[in-house]
Amino acid sequence: MNEPSALLTGRGLARCYGRVRALQHVDLDVNAGQIHALLGANGAGKSTLVRIISGLDRPSAGTMQFQGKLYAPADKRAAEAAGVQIVQQELNILPTLSVAENLMLGRFPAWAGVIRPRRLMELSRQALNRVGLTDLDPATMASEIGVGHRQLIEIAAALQRRCRLLILDEPTAALSAAEVRHLFDQLRRLKQQGTAIIYISHRLDEIRSLADRITILRDGRDVGVWNSGQLSDAELVRRMTGEAESAAGRPFVSWRQSRTALRISGLSSGPVQNVSLTVNRGERLGIAGLVGSGRTELLQALFGAETASAGRVQVEGRTSDAPFGHPAEAAAAGMGLVPEDRRHSGLLLSESIRANMTLSTLRSFSSFGMVRRTDEAAAVKRMTVQTDIRCTDTEQPVRTLSGGNQQKVVVARWLLRNSDILLFDEPTRGIDVAARRRIHDLIASLAQNGCAILMVSSDTDELLDHCDRIAVLSAGRLAAVFERPNWSREQIMQAAFSEYGARTRPSGDLCSEGDHSE
Amino acid sequence: MTGQAWKRAAVQYGGLLGVVVVLLLVFGLTSDNFLRRSTMISIANQIPDLTFIAVGMTLVLICGGIDLSVGSQLALASAVLGVLMTDFRWPLWAAVPVSLFSGSLCGLWNGVVSAAFRIPSFIVTLGMLEIARGTTKVLTDSQSLYLGSSVEWFGVPLSGIPVSPAFLLAVGTVLAGQFLLTQTVFGRYCVAIGTSEETVRLSGIRSWPVLVSVFVISGILCGLAGLAQTARLSTVDPNAAVGLELAAIAACVIGGTSLMGGRGSVIGSFFGVLIIAVLQTGLAHLGVSDASKQIITGCVIVAAVFLDALRTRFRSNGA
């Protein structure tokens, strides 16, 4: 496979973090003028691999060659000097600086230490034009621009440096459809000019339309490399997950009971206005809407994490129907929230699976304020099996788990507390195909056991596949509630836009999040 | 303890213990009469004040806060003690609870204002640093009060064993603090709040009672530290313990407690106190000037934290 044009070759690359083997024996050949996709489930080692290539991490074993020479960058700076640029998932834009300053950070055009403002603007202008942001003023403060544009600015900054190999880690996660198209045009143009691109994404449709070659990783191992188009979507997924394709589009089974679990009347909080809904036991109620329509705020208000300004929340077995004033009250009434930003508001990343799981139920594992370790460990063990968390040890920090398993830890926390109303905010965002399926299975089994479930998702397909009913929020109001099977994507879309005047129609597209490869 | 627990303790504290031993050896070799029983006794009887404060500080830091007012709280508590015992002729046993209560009030104020009004504890306790110091000066009229033998016994080695009641109480406090941190629900909440307060809130836990409690604990321990210091010096000094907060923070950080919250150990902080005390005493034995002592202490603090950072990095990359 060592073609003459191979720009970067890696042989036997491996990386261990403590006992965790993030990467083992991976080979990689990236050719100039090609877009090379890296595919794999979360935790398969894609990010680790590109961190090694871009000098952010060093391999525990293996060697790399770049342009025919031995390549072992000591740090990101060394990699950048060689012409390897990475744009990471977490954006590195400093909001207090202007777009131009962000673009040229570290390479300010200066004369004796004094920045030359006109030259700065000129260079930034060129950089912005290169990614097609021709009408963005480089003097704009970075805090004033949207997430999609920030991603393009990061790419522009990478291109501003010497760039032989550009690495993009999930660049489209926050982009709108138009921005994605635009980005792809630019990437194809770069490729024409001979730049090699390593492209990480979960979205098979993107990879189909963009990549020349595809390397698949699974559990830190190199599964193989294929030309784009050599494998069907189903074959790609199978190689990523190592599982036989389960019946796609399994029939939906409803577990809805007739007893009401939760009755919301006239709830208002922040953007949420006068929302009334009831959810039965065993029911899965989806909540759809555009970004900013108040979906997250509705869940937060229900859970007492935001103060509701008006309305009533009736929960079976609770005497008062006042909205909850603190999550502690909601949790005591049997409610549980699985928040959208699980890394920062759902988990204690540096703490163990055990400590995360029992966080909400510690009191029941304690006598006189002391934790009974044996009881705690037994409960954690039981939950780990029940929610099918894949880990080597429950003392492992949750940071080392994949996104799907992290999500299960949060769910397990509420199951330990016997919560029977669970609020899921984007339960499968950033979670790979196989793990998504397991989360959906878990949610279905919760419903089967009588839990009432509210599920917010930007991915309408996810709601259509897994919910009994779908409530659509639009500009904070409840626009419509659809019941299976009397619904369609179009109806939901229309409802989502219904409360926005034609003039103020937002530009976000409803169904761009997540991937649709199942 | 099981064999595994011993092993874990050895991994966690081996480095700190090593530093203490190395310092003792270095000073033992370079000065003639350092490695003597009397030196060890004098170190043991010097450290109780800083130990009490470092235990409280560790808990506060683990919760993601900071308490800059500990030195002033110590001074205030000992002023209360001194005024009650001299002006009002109270006996020690009656004056001590009131003095500890004054510490807990300062802590309560720090905790309530920072937790309930969500003002950074850095600012709240910076304010308390001034308030408590000023109150101390009002109470004592900015004069030293001599208490003499009525409190001295607390800081003097007991007959039979070479350590003072203050030292024994300080060691007991360290063990109790470590127990609180590792074995109780309260300790688990402290670590959780310091790691991510939002996660704790969304797990249905109110964090303010925990936060207020750690500041109150810190305040009471400042009161004990005030008692220990007054006993050691026989005198209440309104200018006592200025800058002690920095020594306490240094001890915690040397012991592996993170200033970002969520990580730390009370026993580690005790080792930090020991390292600082051995260093100070050893340098004094060598006849090093105060100025050079400060420079060397500063370097050791940075070196200790640097080593700890290397160790954590090494362990997370683990070979």
Side-chain angles (χ1 to χ4, degrees), chain B residues 60 66-67 107 110-111 114 121 125 211-219:
Chain B
V60 173
I66 196 162
D67 191 345
N110 283 338
S114 63
S121 53
T125 59
L211 289 169
V212 171
S213 304
V214 292
F215 280 103
V216 170
I217 290 172
S218 173

Side-chain angles (χ1 to χ4, degrees), chain A residues 239-258:
Chain A
R239 287 187 165 80
M240 274 161 64
T241 58
E243 287 171 12
E245 180 87 341
S246 74
R250 274 169 299 177
F252 175 85
V253 183
S254 175
W255 303 105
R256 174 153 55 158
Q257 306 176 7
S258 54

Side-chain angles (χ1 to χ4, degrees), chain B residues 5-315:
Chain B
W6 277 113
K7 210 170 132 191
R8 222 176 308 134
V11 170
Q12 196 176 353
Y13 303 117
L16 290 167
L17 185 63
V19 173
V20 175
V21 171
V22 166
L23 282 178
L24 287 174
L25 287 179
V26 167
F27 288 125
L29 291 175
T30 49
S31 97
D32 295 337
N33 46 7
F34 181 76
L35 278 183
R36 291 214 176 146
R37 199 178 132 89
S38 60
T39 322
M40 299 304 124
I41 292 175
S42 101
I43 290 176
N45 290 321
Q46 236 171 52
I47 58 172
D49 2 345
L50 187 57
T51 304
F52 286 123
I53 286 186
V55 172
M57 186 68 81
T58 308
L59 295 177
V60 173
L61 289 176
I62 286 173
C63 287
I66 196 162
D67 191 345
L68 297 177
S69 61
V70 288
S72 301
Q73 290 188 53
L74 182 156
L76 179 60
S78 54
V80 168
L81 190 74
V83 169
L84 288 177
M85 290 178 70
T86 51
D87 293 0
F88 296 88
R89 311 234 159 252
W90 282 30
L92 184 69
W93 62 263
V96 166
V98 180
S99 141
L100 297 186
F101 182 67
S102 75
S104 70
L105 279 185
C106 294
L108 187 66
W109 169 268
N110 283 338
V112 168
V113 175
S114 63
F117 299 101
R118 314 215 133 267
I119 297 173
S121 53
F122 189 98
I123 307 295
V124 178
T125 59
L126 187 62
M128 179 54 70
L129 180 148
E130 301 291 355
I131 296 169
R133 181 67 65 182
T135 314
T136 305
K137 289 179 178 164
V138 170
L139 282 179
T140 58
D141 225 354
S142 296
Q143 303 292 314
S144 294
L145 303 172
Y146 180 75
L147 296 186
S149 60
S150 51
V151 288
E152 275 167 359
W153 64 271
F154 188 60
V156 179
L158 296 158
S159 55
I161 44 170
V163 291
S164 63
F167 179 81
L168 291 178
L169 189 60
V171 171
T173 306
V174 169
L175 295 177
Q178 183 70 11
F179 181 84
L180 185 70
L181 186 63
T182 57
Q183 304 298 322
T184 67
V185 175
F186 179 83
R188 203 72 83 73
Y189 284 173
C190 287
V191 174
I193 290 169
T195 308
S196 166
E197 200 173 347
E198 180 66 0
T199 298
V200 170
R201 189 174 80 102
L202 292 183
S203 299
I205 297 160
R206 294 181 205 272
S207 52
W208 70 263
V210 178
L211 289 169
V212 171
S213 304
V214 292
F215 280 103
V216 170
I217 290 172
S218 173
I220 294 173
L221 291 175
C222 288
L224 281 177
L227 176 65
Q229 198 190 55
T230 309
R232 191 155 54 82
L233 305 174
S234 322
T235 309
V236 172
D237 175 4
N239 292 312
V242 171
L244 193 68
E245 57 280 354
L246 298 181
I249 292 168
C252 295
V253 169
I254 289 174
T257 296
S258 164
L259 288 178
M260 310 302 291
R263 185 170 69 94
S265 141
V266 178
I267 290 184
S269 299
F270 182 57
F271 275 111
V273 172
L274 279 180
I275 288 170
I276 292 176
V278 170
L279 194 64
Q280 298 281 342
T281 314
L283 291 174
H285 261 258
L286 288 178
V288 174
S289 72
D290 269 358
S292 313
K293 244 161 82 179
Q294 274 190 314
I295 295 173
I296 295 171
T297 310
C299 293
V300 168
I301 292 172
V302 175
V305 176
F306 178 70
L307 282 176
D308 184 59
L310 276 189
R311 203 173 48 121
T312 10
R313 211 166 301 164
F314 177 73
R315 215 189 299 164

Side-chain angles (χ1 to χ4, degrees), chain A residues 164-214:
Chain A
R164 300 298 316 258
L165 172 63
L166 176 65
I167 303 172
L168 299 172
D169 194 351
E170 298 244 21
T172 57
L175 302 192
S176 73
E179 286 169 326
V180 169
R181 266 196 305 280
H182 181 79
L183 172 67
F184 284 9
D185 289 344
Q186 302 305 323
L187 294 182
R188 289 195 189 97
R189 209 165 52 82
L190 276 174
K191 174 178 124 170
Q192 299 292 319
Q193 294 164 359
T195 308
I197 297 171
I198 294 181
Y199 188 91
I200 297 184
S201 177
H202 282 145
R203 301 169 68 161
L204 299 183
D205 53 335
E206 288 186 355
I207 285 173
R208 281 258 173 266
S209 78
L210 202 61
D212 300 297
R213 280 150 65 80
I214 301 172

Side-chain angles (χ1 to χ4, degrees), chain A residues 320-343:
Chain A
S320 160
D321 65 354
F324 297 109
H326 189 278
E329 295 170 18
M335 222 184 246
L337 171 71
V338 180
E340 179 178 11
D341 179 4
R342 77 179 155 263
R343 295 172 62 82

Side-chain angles (χ1 to χ4, degrees), chain A residues 124-278:
Chain A
S124 321
R125 183 73 274 151
Q126 288 171 11
L128 290 176
N129 289 348
R130 209 167 294 146
V131 293
L133 289 175
T134 42
D135 45 6
L136 179 67
D137 179 4
T140 316
M141 290 305 286
S143 55
E144 289 168 27
I145 56 175
V147 166
H149 278 48
R150 289 189 200 189
Q151 185 79 55
L152 287 171
I153 288 167
E154 285 253 17
I155 295 171
L159 296 180
Q160 184 66 22
R161 295 169 223 140
R162 209 165 78 87
C163 185
R164 300 298 316 258
L165 172 63
L166 176 65
I167 303 172
L168 299 172
D169 194 351
E170 298 244 21
T172 57
L175 302 192
S176 73
E179 286 169 326
V180 169
R181 266 196 305 280
H182 181 79
L183 172 67
F184 284 9
D185 289 344
Q186 302 305 323
L187 294 182
R188 289 195 189 97
R189 209 165 52 82
L190 276 174
K191 174 178 124 170
Q192 299 292 319
Q193 294 164 359
T195 308
I197 297 171
I198 294 181
Y199 188 91
I200 297 184
S201 177
H202 282 145
R203 301 169 68 161
L204 299 183
D205 53 335
E206 288 186 355
I207 285 173
R208 281 258 173 266
S209 78
L210 202 61
D212 300 297
R213 280 150 65 80
I214 301 172
T215 289
I216 298 182
L217 298 178
R218 183 173 73 228
D219 300 332
R221 289 168 205 271
D222 179 5
V223 179
V225 57
W226 288 271
N227 287 324
S228 178
Q230 216 174 334
L231 299 179
S232 71
D233 281 2
E235 286 170 315
L236 285 175
V237 171
R238 189 155 63 238
R239 287 187 165 80
M240 274 161 64
T241 58
E243 287 171 12
E245 180 87 341
S246 74
R250 274 169 299 177
F252 175 85
V253 183
S254 175
W255 303 105
R256 174 153 55 158
Q257 306 176 7
S258 54
R259 240 162 80 201
T260 303
L262 173 69
R263 189 186 301 275
I264 310 161
S265 345
L267 192 70
S268 296
S269 165
V272 178
Q273 287 166 49
N274 196 20
V275 169
S276 303
L277 280 170
T278 57

